[in-house]
Structures are given as structure tokens and as C-alpha cells.
Amino acid sequence: MAETAGSREAVVLVVQHEEEAGPGLVGEHLVRAGLRLDVVRAWEGEALPADLSGQAGLLVLGGSVNCEDDAAAPWLPGVRSLVREAVNGEIPLLGICLGGQIVAHALGGSVTTRPQGPELGAVPLRRLPTVAGDPVLGEVRDGTPAAQWHWDEVDRLPPGAVPLLTGDDCPHQAFRVGSACWAVQFHPEVGGAAVEVWAAAEDASVREAGADPEAVVNAVGDVEPELRRVWGAVSEAWGAVVLAFAATAANATVLDVPAARSL
């Protein structure tokens, strides 16, 4: 019997690095778009798949670990391998914060700890000319706020990367590699509630860096409606790329069973 194109469910592999850094708003919009999320809770010891067979997309989330600290996060080499496979195979990929840093590092860029301290709160982004026409981030307006929570940042893009968004205090806020890989430094998946949890957990570190945890939380909460509107739309745009890839893959693997020969 022939398998019809599009009959298989489109699945996104989600790599989660810690308990309080799940897919959040991005995940909600991907599910709403008709995708299924296969979440690997890596910090709990859940194993990553050996490859991306059967996956329509790869979503790598944020976390507090350094992207090169394989001792603290022994699953990172496996994530880097999946990132390279996704880029080589043009499988849609989205890396968020730590996930974006992993993308940069895995593909030949570099990541550093910010000498000026962490970027926290709601920060306006700046469009670069190269973002025009981008299928995922092309409609993001100049000055759009994004939730930020990072001590490290990409300081050198991978070879061939296209910078898309920048910021006043962080140059590489979003970039694309190849036709289907996007990486962002900010957190499109969170609102005020998630940032409040992070602020409570890292209160001492935030204060030591010279920031006020309550002010950081309030800054994100004040713009949450816009965050939800803009980054929800961006999530759906990436989801559309995933669905298009899944449909193409399904069409390419339809099984045509030959008719039985007459004897």
C-alpha cells in the first residue's frame, strides 16, 4: 500500500538543558501549527537520538551552562553533532540563547563571557539590511523588544553566517546559516513569569552584576503583550518552514508498491 504524502506527523526534536528552560511560548505556537514536540530532557539523563532520522526540525533551548562545558553537560557533543547534521541536511533548526551559542560554536564560530556583565530584561533589537526577506525574522520591526538573560554571547559568527538582528549592547542577536538554520541570543519563548523564576533562582548573581532582579522582571512584564505577539508570529513562521520541509520529505519518500505481475 502506498504511503500518502503528508500522512506522517511532523516532529520537532527539542533539546532541553534544564528544568526551568522549556519550549514555552515557542512550543505552544509550534503545537498550534500542527507540529509534535519530542522533548529530550538532557539534564535528567535522557539520551539524544543518534541522528535526526524522522525529525522535521531541531529546536535547541537555552540554559545556564557554558556551551563548551562538556564536563558539566556531557550531552553537548551530541547536540553539536545534531546541529551539524541539521545544517548539512537543510533540516530546519532554531537555537535559542545557549542553543544559539551551541550553533555558533558547532559551526566554527566562538562564544565568550560578556566582560561588561549579563544582558538582562527587555532589550530593543535592531534590524540589519540582510534581514529583509528572511522567512522567519524578516517581519521583526526595528526596536522590537526581546527578553534577555545571558552571561555569555557569540563574539564571532560561523563562516558563511548571515547576521540578521543586532542590539546596542550585543552585536549578534540573530543570524542564519545556510537555508534553514536560525540562531538567536534572546529568549522568544519566555514572558514575565519565566523571567521571575530565573530572577529568584539567580538573585545573588544578578545583584552581584549590578542589576535589580525586580526591575528586570518588571521590564519584561511591561512589554509581555508585544513579546507574545511578535515572537509568537516568529515561532509560527519557523513552524511553517518545518512543515514545508516535512511535506517535501514526505513527497520524496512516498512508497509506490508495484502492481502484482500476471502469471
Side-chain angles (χ1 to χ4, degrees), residues 7 13 15 19 34 56 102 111 114 143 180 212 253 259 261:
S7 64
L13 177 67
V15 180
E19 180 67 44
I102 292 172
V111 175
R114 287 168 51 88
D212 177 355
T253 57
R261 291 184 302 163

Side-chain angles (χ1 to χ4, degrees), residues 189-204:
E189 83 283 15
V190 304
V195 173
E196 185 173 10
V197 171
W198 296 348
E202 301 187 48
D203 183 272

Side-chain angles (χ1 to χ4, degrees), residues 20-49:
E20 302 299 342
L25 176 66
V26 171
E28 292 173 15
H29 281 271
L30 295 179
V31 170
R32 190 178 303 169
L35 295 161
R36 180 167 68 82
L37 306 185
D38 179 8
V39 181
V40 174
R41 298 165 67 87
W43 82 98
E44 290 191 342
E46 293 183 0
L48 293 168

Side-chain angles (χ1 to χ4, degrees), residues 6 8 23 26 35 56 61-62 68 79 85 106 108 145 155 158 160 169 182 185 191-192 202 219 236 239 242 245:
R8 295 183 302 172
V26 171
L35 295 161
L61 299 173
E68 300 179 55
V79 181
E85 179 187 353
D155 65 335
D169 191 47
W182 287 266
Q185 181 57 79
E202 301 187 48
E236 292 181 10
V242 176
F245 174 85

Side-chain angles (χ1 to χ4, degrees), residues 24 67 106 109 157 194 257:
C67 72
L157 292 177
V257 179

